[in-house]
Amino acid sequence: MNYIRFFETVGIKDVGLVGGKNASLGEMYQNLSPLGVNVPNGFSTTKDAYNLLLSQNKLDERIEALIGGLDVEDVTQLQRCGKAVRELILNETLPLELETALSEAYTQLSGTYGEEETDVAVRSSATAEDLPDASFAGQQESYLNIRGTQCLLLHVKRCFASLFTDRAISYRHSRGFDHRTVSLCVGVQKMVRSDQASSGVIFTLDTQSGNQNVITVTSVFGLGENIVGGRVNPDEFYLFKPTLRQDKTAIIKRQLGSKEMKMIYDEKLKTLNISTTEKERARFSLSDDDVMILGRYALAIEEHYGMPMDIEWAKDARDGNLYIVQARPETVHSKHLNSINAKIIEKYQIKEDTSKRTRLLTGQSIGEKIGVGVVRVIRDLSEASKFNAGEVLVADITDPDWEPLMKKAGAVVTNKGGRTCHAAIVAREIGVSTIVGTTNATELLKDGMEVTVCCAEGEAGYVYEGRIDYELETIDLADLQEPKTKLFMNVGNPEKAFSLATIPNQGVGLARMEFIINNHIKAHPMALYDMHQGKWVKGKEEIELLMQGFEDPKSFFINKLSAGIGMIAAAFYPNPVIVRTSDFKSNEYKHMLGGEAYEKDEENPMIGFRGASRYYSDAYKEAFKWECEALKKVRDEMGLTNVKLMIPFVRTPDEGRKVISIMNEMGLVQGENGLEIYAMCEIPSNVIFAEEFLKVFDGYSIGSNDLTQLTLGVDRDSTLVAHIFDERNEAVKRLIKMAIDACKKEGKYIGICGQAPSDYPEITEFLVENGIDSISLNPDSVLKMRQVVVELEKRL
């Protein structure tokens, strides 16, 4: 029988999936060179090898005697049984034929590198592993930096024994796999020396929303065990597939992780963890060029297998090359693609204003659900018997050994971990609300506390004090009809963009740039500009902390802003995304880091130094140029030409021309590469003098909030006259109709992005009756108003 298969002997057409019914590990660790992908040399055992071991001394019957009748839900019994089975296998001698085959293969592999005993990674892969609907992520063991024949034989046996880890037994039971039908292959790969470089994980989709236009890359310094084990908060990058295929700079997001430690080799070439240096924590562990290479590798692998993939990679410090060390099907979102539930969307939503609640912790959300319950801190699996079903599991990390507890939990919160670690994969499969990387959950949360674990607010997950009511909305896309009037969405938070994009829509009518500046940059743009010129600014030390990972203030501002805009544009691609340039008022800018030196007190900031007036003023013009550079980067370098631009609060046509002139100077020219530049129609002069404004701009988007305020002479922030503020006032409606008519006459775009249509169905009806091109709504109003518009269009 054939007990060994070298990876390079597997032809590209003979490939099976790891976990395919008859696949061996060698059928996944094939030579991917025809795809332009580097993989380490190596070999694997076959199913025949494992079956040979089982047949020796009736090992299979002895295993069955131990595991038969096991109550998997009894954690203590599970631990006792699993240990007994593993010891049974470890105490068995490998069959002579298998030992000989492994020794000869190892000698041959070592000779390839001119070495007597080369260093290898020994990886396990069960034949029930990595099915399209079950990942078995981390259920079996793998071992790094193994050297020498006897050491190799020992670790091959350990891999076989790991088929019966407690977590693997529990996982198989919960998914209906009979352990008697499961086999295991062991892969032996030439070690990739990432201990002095970096390693990580790739998913060929957005792990939160399932959006398949995205590639998610995570990275840490050193060997990859820390990232897959959830021990380190990694760097994270997003690439956009459609523009990656066009050879554009497709990185739409860079997020610096804390990377507190890295796994290296000690003097005896054994693995150990050491703390990273301050410089390492303050910089990215992967260059943009390497991110792009990994993105192309991921595209090639996904296209070859025809499904979303979960991939592990490592960079070798010796030759500088990037290697793919493992690839398997993504199992959470993929199973819904062709299922009967593919057209069903579930949206969890908190039913009250969380700003009035105490937010205890923040971390990375896994999934989009909400869980409530009583806290139970478990510091070690030896305490597993204390955990009760429905409690909120709080731990330092949760590697796959914790799966039996995770599936009983009402929610999970950890100190460490990233979005692509094995525990996060298992949490998504189980469907439990999970937040990782909070850093101090085990210190702040105490046994018996009631908390709400919310993953429904974007990429950031929040733990709130007490129980908060929430609701689950189920949306059946099959029953939805498409209206003729375009229904856009107002989106400010890039972290929620991919989730919001799953709601049926036709684009984004208002993406607020100031939200990105305020929440992701946090420093006054002119403070950053002056720092870039070498000047001292107040708050410099705090700003420099924010800038970690970036070369200078300018690259920090432009990359952060372009990433935020790019995330929104990518999420809704190819639908249009209308980005409004910054519309801070002086009192809002003043509260940003360094802001006091650049903002004067104004009696009424709402009609003061804001919008277009800032852009050509010496007090802000240089910062506006940076805004333009970020927008140009999104459209030209990232290739997201679905981005359209909008200028707020343009008081006169001459102001508009001044702003357009600066934009042209910065390379943003109307008509080039399909660029359109609109103005907010929010001042009565925009309506009265529309004919002249529309000579400057490509259309209007009505801002009903400011238009109502300035038409009725009402300060919308004043409680004394709040009862007068009403977008349904006849004077306001007449101005809206005049604006629509003016744009129709000139053949220009006309939409609305104010609050009124989200609040009042009668305003939506009025807009549709008057032929508006698009209505941009708050996300929670889109589906409700969609039906209103469809019914109205039928009547009309």
Side-chain angles (χ1 to χ4, degrees):
M1 285 190 177
N2 183 18
Y3 300 122
I4 296 294
R5 174 179 288 186
F6 274 86
F7 298 159
E8 63 266 29
T9 64
V10 181
I12 207 79
K13 294 179 181 177
D14 300 326
V15 174
L17 293 173
V18 171
K21 190 172 181 182
N22 299 304
S24 74
L25 187 73
E27 291 176 309
M28 193 58 157
Y29 292 117
Q30 54 168 310
N31 184 350
L32 290 175
S33 56
L35 303 181
V37 175
N38 292 328
V39 294
N41 289 328
F43 57 88
S44 80
T45 64
T46 65
K47 282 179 64 176
D48 291 335
Y50 178 70
N51 292 335
L52 179 65
L53 174 64
L54 284 185
S55 63
Q56 183 173 270
N57 298 323
K58 298 182 178 180
L59 181 59
D60 52 352
E61 294 179 13
R62 288 182 286 156
I63 291 173
E64 179 60 29
L66 283 172
I67 210 167
L70 168 65
D71 179 5
V72 174
E73 302 302 321
D74 184 333
V75 176
T76 302
Q77 187 183 354
L78 172 63
Q79 291 173 337
R80 187 169 56 246
C81 178
K83 182 181 179 183
V85 174
R86 292 192 298 274
E87 287 178 350
L88 200 63
I89 296 173
L90 290 172
N91 290 331
E92 191 70 34
T93 303
L94 285 178
L96 181 60
E97 305 99 302
L98 180 55
E99 279 196 1
T100 302
L102 284 165
S103 299
E104 290 175 353
Y106 177 62
T107 299
Q108 182 178 332
L109 178 64
S110 297
T112 303
Y113 296 93
E115 298 176 2
E116 190 172 323
E117 293 182 331
T118 195
D119 54 338
V120 293
V122 182
R123 295 176 174 272
S124 57
S125 180
T127 54
E129 189 172 351
D130 304 326
L131 293 171
D133 60 350
S135 71
F136 285 76
Q139 302 303 315
Q140 281 74 232
E141 301 289 0
S142 293
Y143 301 94
L144 303 180
N145 199 31
I146 304 304
R147 190 185 294 268
T149 301
Q150 292 306 312
C151 193
L152 171 65
L153 295 175
L154 171 63
H155 285 88
V156 167
K157 192 159 57 169
R158 285 180 175 175
C159 282
F160 285 138
S162 73
L163 192 59
F164 293 94
T165 59
D166 303 345
R167 61 188 184 255
I169 296 169
S170 172
Y171 189 94
R172 288 196 296 269
H173 177 268
S174 65
R175 283 151 185 80
F177 292 101
D178 187 336
H179 74 272
R180 289 168 296 189
T181 65
V182 177
S183 176
L184 188 136
C185 304
V186 180
V188 179
Q189 293 175 312
K190 171 62 180 171
M191 192 70 196
V192 178
R193 290 300 301 266
S194 59
D195 54 302
Q196 298 300 321
S198 55
S199 55
V201 177
I202 307 170
F203 279 85
T204 62
L205 45 62
D206 174 39
T207 56
Q208 283 295 93
S209 67
N211 187 298
Q212 292 190 69
N213 274 336
V214 174
I215 295 172
T216 307
V217 178
T218 51
S219 173
V220 294
F221 289 115
L223 300 171
E225 288 300 288
N226 283 335
I227 192 168
V228 298
R231 301 182 192 95
V232 173
N233 301 330
D235 297 331
E236 189 170 84
F237 307 86
Y238 274 36
L239 296 103
F240 188 53
K241 290 180 191 174
T243 53
L244 179 62
R245 292 188 181 100
Q246 300 167 19
D247 289 327
K248 298 284 187 180
T249 304
I251 303 172
I252 58 173
K253 175 187 173 183
R254 301 168 184 81
Q255 183 169 307
L256 193 68
S258 53
K259 307 183 298 294
E260 301 91 346
M261 60 183 176
K262 63 179 178 180
M263 184 176 284
I264 62 167
Y265 295 152
D266 64 12
E267 295 176 355
K268 297 179 181 179
L269 293 178
K270 298 296 182 182
T271 57
L272 81 157
N273 275 313
I274 62 170
S275 296
T276 48
T277 65
E278 282 189 26
K279 285 187 177 180
E280 287 174 323
R281 290 193 288 271
R283 70 181 176 91
F284 288 105
S285 51
L286 204 56
S287 70
D288 283 2
D289 287 344
D290 282 346
V291 174
M292 292 289 287
I293 290 170
L294 289 172
R296 294 188 189 100
Y297 281 5
L299 266 184
I301 293 169
E302 180 183 59
E303 288 170 2
H304 175 69
Y305 288 105
M307 64 180 69
M309 299 294 289
D310 168 2
I311 301 164
E312 293 178 23
W313 63 271
K315 183 169 185 175
D316 196 312
R318 295 170 299 190
D319 60 19
N321 287 329
L322 292 157
Y323 291 89
I324 300 301
V325 296
Q326 181 166 300
R328 59 181 170 225
E330 190 278 337
T331 57
V332 179
H333 297 287
S334 301
K335 64 185 178 184
H336 295 298
L337 295 180
N338 299 310
S339 74
I340 194 169
N341 294 321
K343 294 186 177 181
I344 302 292
I345 297 176
E346 290 186 341
K347 291 288 178 186
Y348 285 76
Q349 189 167 332
I350 295 283
K351 293 173 70 174
E352 62 183 79
D353 182 2
T354 54
S355 65
K356 298 175 182 176
R357 287 282 191 161
T358 302
R359 184 183 290 173
L360 300 172
L361 286 166
T362 301
Q364 286 189 311
S365 58
I366 305 301
E368 298 179 333
K369 295 184 177 182
I370 299 172
V372 297
V374 175
V375 167
R376 175 71 66 183
V377 180
I378 301 292
R379 300 186 184 278
D380 186 85
L381 274 178
S382 62
E383 303 175 350
S385 59
K386 297 178 183 178
F387 189 78
N388 300 307
E391 291 180 329
V392 174
L393 174 62
V394 178
D396 185 45
I397 59 172
T398 56
D399 63 32
D401 281 327
W402 293 66
E403 190 268 352
L405 293 189
M406 292 171 69
K407 69 184 183 184
K408 299 197 308 184
V412 178
V413 183
T414 70
N415 294 336
K416 300 173 183 175
R419 218 182 299 278
T420 57
C421 69
H422 283 153
I425 298 169
V426 173
R428 287 190 197 96
E429 287 186 6
I430 294 170
V432 62
S433 178
T434 300
I435 298 176
V436 299
T438 62
T439 71
N440 58 348
T442 53
E443 296 173 23
L444 290 183
L445 301 181
K446 307 296 181 184
D447 285 354
M449 292 175 64
E450 285 194 324
V451 296
T452 298
V453 179
C454 181
C455 297
E457 298 180 66
E459 292 182 359
Y462 303 113
V463 179
Y464 294 102
E465 186 176 35
R467 291 177 177 265
I468 303 179
D469 286 340
Y470 65 90
E471 60 187 2
L472 171 60
E473 181 182 10
T474 302
I475 306 163
D476 189 346
L477 303 184
D479 296 335
L480 293 180
Q481 298 178 48
E482 194 81 2
K484 294 176 183 176
T485 307
K486 288 185 171 60
L487 293 186
F488 291 168
M489 200 181 295
N490 298 332
V491 178
N493 186 352
E495 295 176 352
K496 297 186 74 171
F498 284 100
S499 174
L500 292 175
T502 62
I503 300 172
N505 70 88
Q506 291 160 297
V508 175
L510 175 62
R512 298 178 176 90
M513 186 183 284
E514 62 269 17
F515 185 99
I516 301 168
I517 295 174
N518 193 44
N519 291 280
H520 294 256
I521 295 172
K522 299 181 180 179
H524 193 288
M526 285 305 297
L528 290 168
Y529 176 78
D530 279 348
M531 283 179 65
H532 193 62
Q533 303 306 307
K535 298 178 183 178
W536 182 88
V537 300
K538 187 177 180 181
K540 179 174 180 288
E541 293 77 13
E542 283 185 80
I543 294 172
E544 285 177 339
L545 283 175
L546 293 172
M547 287 168 43
Q548 286 188 345
F550 295 90
E551 186 178 338
D552 53 47
K554 183 177 182 179
S555 68
F556 167 66
F557 181 89
I558 290 173
N559 280 302
K560 278 285 190 179
L561 185 54
S562 62
I565 296 167
M567 285 283 282
I568 298 173
F572 290 85
Y573 185 90
N575 288 330
V577 171
I578 301 173
V579 178
R580 186 179 70 188
T581 48
S582 63
D583 192 24
F584 281 113
K585 289 77 179 173
S586 54
N587 59 323
E588 295 168 339
Y589 263 128
K590 192 170 186 174
H591 295 303
M592 301 187 76
L593 278 172
E596 287 186 14
Y598 303 93
E599 301 298 333
K600 295 179 180 178
D601 290 327
E602 293 187 282
E603 289 295 327
N604 194 340
M606 195 68 75
I607 54 173
F609 189 43
R610 63 175 287 201
S613 300
R614 278 186 176 265
Y615 304 157
Y616 59 86
S617 165
D618 289 339
Y620 192 81
K621 182 166 63 176
E622 296 304 325
F624 179 63
K625 288 182 177 180
W626 282 9
E627 290 184 26
C628 292
E629 285 192 57
L631 288 164
K632 183 172 172 59
K633 180 183 177 75
V634 171
R635 284 182 50 83
D636 294 354
E637 292 183 30
M638 294 182 183
L640 292 162
T641 53
N642 59 323
V643 168
K644 302 175 187 296
L645 309 183
M646 183 160 65
I647 309 301
F649 227 75
V650 188
R651 293 173 169 95
T652 68
D654 188 52
E655 271 202 324
R657 282 186 281 270
K658 289 179 180 178
V659 172
I660 293 292
S661 175
I662 296 170
M663 297 177 83
N664 289 348
E665 177 190 337
M666 301 309 296
L668 294 171
V669 180
Q670 286 159 293
E672 285 190 5
N673 212 7
L675 176 61
E676 293 180 333
I677 302 177
Y678 307 137
M680 289 285 290
C681 180
E682 53 191 342
I683 306 171
S685 64
N686 300 146
V687 180
I688 297 165
F689 214 24
E691 185 177 337
E692 294 302 313
F693 277 99
L694 291 172
K695 290 177 182 177
V696 180
F697 296 101
D698 297 305
Y700 270 162
S701 183
I702 299 166
S704 59
N705 298 345
D706 274 325
L707 187 61
T708 302
Q709 173 176 246
L710 297 173
T711 300
L712 300 179
V714 175
D715 181 352
R716 71 186 200 215
D717 292 334
S718 170
T719 56
L720 298 175
V721 290
H723 61 284
I724 303 172
F725 185 91
D726 189 343
E727 296 99 323
R728 295 167 295 180
N729 182 281
E730 189 59 35
V732 178
K733 289 170 66 177
R734 287 190 186 186
L735 285 179
I736 290 174
K737 186 179 187 314
M738 288 169 64
I740 294 172
D741 291 344
C743 288
K744 292 293 182 184
K745 180 181 177 183
E746 299 298 327
K748 298 290 182 85
Y749 165 81
I750 178 68
I752 187 168
C753 60
Q755 183 67 28
S758 295
D759 291 342
Y760 305 118
E762 59 266 42
I763 288 289
T764 301
E765 188 168 330
F766 169 77
L767 294 167
V768 173
E769 286 175 343
N770 282 281
I772 200 162
D773 293 333
S774 73
I775 301 172
S776 195
L777 301 155
N778 294 336
D780 58 0
S781 302
V782 171
L783 290 172
K784 177 178 67 178
M785 291 302 175
R786 185 187 187 99
Q787 197 56 38
V788 170
V789 172
V790 167
E791 292 300 323
L792 179 61
E793 287 177 345
K794 284 180 181 178
R795 293 204 308 272
L796 292 175

